[in-house]
Amino acid sequence: MSERVITPRSRGFLFLDSHPAGCARLVEEMWRAVPAPERVPDTAPVALVVGSSAGYGLAATIAGLARAGIRGIGVSFEKAPTERRTATAGWYRTAALAELALRNGQEMVFLNGDAFSDAMKDQVADLLRERFGRLDHLVYSVAAPRRTDPDTGAAHTSVLKPIGEAYRTKTLVFDGEGTPEVKVVETAPAEGDDVEQTVAVMGGADWERWVDHLADRGLLADGFTTAALSYIGSPLTDGIYRQGTIGAAKSHLEATARTLDERLNKLVGGRAVTSVNGAAVTQSSTAIPGIALYVGLLRGALGEAMVPPIAQLADLWDRLTGVQPLDVDEDGRVRLDSWELNSAVQAAVTERWETATTETITRLADLDWFHAEVQRLYGFAVPGVDYSAPTNTRIPWPDTTS
């Protein structure tokens, strides 16, 4: 056993270590926050969550277990603890969630590896056939910087860039003492094959490959549903997000959903949708210029009315499992972001954005909440955890055989 006191050390929004006990407590908090199910299925639906250890994928896994009563498989790519460093936060969250599912009598197997690889798809297919049977639901939530194409072996790298011209935006940073500063940053436009590279990583190619891989093996149940998690966001962040390289990838994801929806309907009477979620503090979103400022201002405007990911994903599971209708917009998207893109909310956030400076930011944005949310991504700032006490960092990955 390796026990030590872990203190938060960070470079910007990136923390160098994570706290096992804090990550475990956070998972328990999220589970308790899931609304009680409106109905209990006669047979537990079999589900696969690709990208199950962080952000909306983690919320999807927890909500699926606690709300929809799923059994099945979660896939993620996390780093193990070493002598010098803790494991990634997703490693500890997964270990805690596996234990929590076991305590609640639910069979959930977690696999650690490259979700883009055909080897992982084969492993999942074999496990489904051996232990679970045909798949009822697939939730796809992968945010990664790189992907290797299994067919060509080509490595693709995603970038966060505007398209056409440089993009200037306000952004929020914190100095070494935690003092907030509002700065203006400029991001150079995409060049060369930046758009194609980003689409290859973040678009719908791998999601479609997962569906095809499982369909070819006869592993999709009648009425199978699949959702890829996405985001549109505010006009305030359009230039770097929806109108940028990431936006091109999201458009490809949505086009893939329409293609898959038509094919699945013919194949198994199934559905494929994208789920447009609302803003949240995630490890991915904090890397995007302007997003941290926007989310802090959004929280400042909405307060407790801001809908957390776990509540949004409970809503999505109700729609995937038929508790509520699986209604979509004209582009085939389930909209879970109406609370954020409400015109009155956006007007309030825009007013705060326009007047946000280093001098005014503390009264316009909820920075205490934002700073705590960033720390919670790594298991810090979680109530009820004694951070002065040594904690075991050598937590094993959940057993995949039991």
Side-chain angles (χ1 to χ4, degrees), residues 62-227:
I62 295 173
L65 287 162
R67 178 77 172 176
I70 64 170
R71 56 195 287 263
I73 305 168
V75 175
S76 60
F77 197 17
E78 299 294 344
K79 292 182 180 179
T82 66
E83 290 299 327
R84 298 183 59 190
R85 298 285 295 272
T86 69
T88 52
W91 179 286
Y92 295 133
R93 288 190 294 256
T94 300
L97 182 53
E99 183 178 336
L100 193 53
L102 187 63
R103 291 206 308 263
N104 282 272
Q106 292 172 263
E107 186 182 13
M108 196 74 188
V109 177
F110 293 94
L111 303 177
N112 190 31
D114 181 6
F116 294 134
S117 71
D118 281 351
M120 177 56 74
K121 294 175 177 65
D122 286 336
Q123 188 177 357
V124 168
D126 291 344
L127 190 56
L128 283 170
R129 183 178 295 107
E130 293 165 6
R131 292 180 58 171
F132 296 102
R134 295 196 298 170
L135 189 67
D136 296 299
H137 310 289
L138 165 59
V139 175
Y140 187 85
S141 179
V142 177
R146 288 171 295 279
R147 170 177 176 254
T148 298
D149 188 306
D151 289 329
T152 66
H156 302 286
T157 302
S158 63
V159 296
L160 286 165
K161 291 184 179 180
I163 296 174
E165 60 185 21
Y167 177 70
R168 289 173 60 84
T169 184
K170 289 180 178 180
T171 196
L172 176 66
V173 298
F174 293 89
D175 65 18
E177 303 300 319
T179 303
E181 181 182 2
V182 176
K183 300 174 63 175
V184 175
V185 296
E186 181 172 301
T187 306
E191 55 186 6
D193 64 349
D194 282 346
V195 174
E196 292 78 10
Q197 289 272 329
T198 304
V199 169
V201 179
M202 302 287 288
D206 186 61
W207 178 33
E208 185 172 23
R209 196 176 187 93
W210 271 102
V211 174
D212 288 346
H213 207 86
L214 299 173
D216 289 346
R217 286 156 179 77
L219 290 169
L220 302 185
D222 292 341
F224 166 80
T225 62
T226 181

Side-chain angles (χ1 to χ4, degrees), residues 197-261:
Q197 289 272 329
T198 304
V199 169
V201 179
M202 302 287 288
D206 186 61
W207 178 33
E208 185 172 23
R209 196 176 187 93
W210 271 102
V211 174
D212 288 346
H213 207 86
L214 299 173
D216 289 346
R217 286 156 179 77
L219 290 169
L220 302 185
D222 292 341
F224 166 80
T225 62
T226 181
L229 306 188
S230 187
Y231 181 65
I232 291 177
S234 169
L236 293 168
T237 60
D238 251 3
I240 194 66
Y241 197 85
R242 195 65 196 194
Q243 300 303 319
T245 54
I246 295 296
K250 296 300 184 184
S251 294
H252 185 273
L253 191 72
E254 291 162 7
T256 302
R258 293 189 289 272
T259 299
L260 284 175
D261 190 56

Side-chain angles (χ1 to χ4, degrees), residues 239-324:
I240 194 66
Y241 197 85
R242 195 65 196 194
Q243 300 303 319
T245 54
I246 295 296
K250 296 300 184 184
S251 294
H252 185 273
L253 191 72
E254 291 162 7
T256 302
R258 293 189 289 272
T259 299
L260 284 175
D261 190 56
E262 183 175 345
R263 284 165 46 197
L264 287 170
N265 181 53
K266 295 176 181 178
L267 182 66
V268 292
R271 296 289 305 275
V273 298
T274 51
S275 173
V276 182
N277 304 301
V281 178
T282 68
Q283 286 161 279
S284 299
S285 69
T286 53
I288 304 173
I291 293 292
L293 175 62
Y294 169 74
V295 175
L297 294 171
L298 179 66
R299 174 71 183 195
L302 282 177
E304 293 296 327
M306 191 167 176
V307 182
I310 198 70
Q312 295 178 50
L313 269 296
D315 186 355
L316 178 62
W317 276 111
D318 281 355
R319 303 183 194 210
L320 293 177
T321 57
V323 174
Q324 300 293 335

Side-chain angles (χ1 to χ4, degrees), residues 19-26 92 379 382 385-387 391-392:
H19 199 285
C23 290
R25 185 65 173 254
L26 180 63
Y92 295 133
V382 180
V385 177
D386 182 0
Y387 291 100
T391 186
N392 178 24

Side-chain angles (χ1 to χ4, degrees), residues 231 233-237 294 298 301 337 339-353:
Y231 181 65
S234 169
L236 293 168
T237 60
Y294 169 74
L298 179 66
D337 60 345
W339 60 271
E340 176 189 351
L341 298 189
N342 173 283
S343 58
V345 171
Q346 284 299 305
V349 178
T350 299
E351 182 179 357
R352 290 168 183 252
W353 177 282

